[in-house]
Amino acid sequence: MAAPISTERFVKELEKLRTEMESGELKHSEYDQKLARVVRELRERGLEGDRAEITAALDDCQKRGVIPPAVRDHLNKRLGLV
C-alpha cells in the first residue's frame, strides 16, 4: 500500500491545476477530470494530516483563489470533511 499523500503535495496539485487553467492549457472538462483523478488518489491512498490541518489548507487555497467556493464544497464532501 502506498504512503498517504502529504497536505503540501495536495495543495501543490491544486495550485498546478489552477495555473494550467489560467494559462489556457486545460479546458474546464480537463480540469474536472484531473481534479477527479486527484480526489480518487486521495481516497485510495489517504491524506496525511488531521481534519483541522486539511481544512486550514483548503481555507488558504480558497482565500488565495487557487480553488473557487464550488470546488471547495466539492472537496469537503468528497474527502468527508463535512
Side-chain angles (χ1 to χ4, degrees):
M1 179 175 229
I5 297 169
S6 70
T7 304
E8 294 82 18
R9 179 171 168 239
F10 175 52
V11 169
K12 285 181 183 181
E13 287 295 321
L14 293 174
E15 290 169 341
K16 179 182 171 189
L17 286 175
R18 179 63 177 187
T19 301
E20 290 175 350
M21 275 294 292
E22 288 177 345
S23 70
E25 292 177 51
L26 288 178
K27 297 177 185 175
H28 286 287
S29 61
E30 294 169 324
Y31 175 88
D32 292 342
Q33 290 173 350
K34 285 191 173 200
L35 181 61
R37 196 172 303 130
V38 169
V39 170
R40 185 172 39 255
E41 185 178 0
L42 288 174
R43 293 178 61 86
E44 290 172 358
R45 292 180 53 185
L47 185 59
E48 255 181 24
D50 59 18
R51 184 178 298 259
E53 180 183 345
I54 297 165
T55 299
L58 290 174
D59 284 343
D60 181 59
C61 284
Q62 185 176 347
K63 286 178 189 171
R64 292 185 297 120
V66 174
I67 56 173
V71 171
R72 168 63 191 274
D73 292 342
H74 176 73
L75 290 172
N76 280 341
K77 290 176 188 168
R78 295 291 300 182
L79 298 176
L81 298 173
V82 284

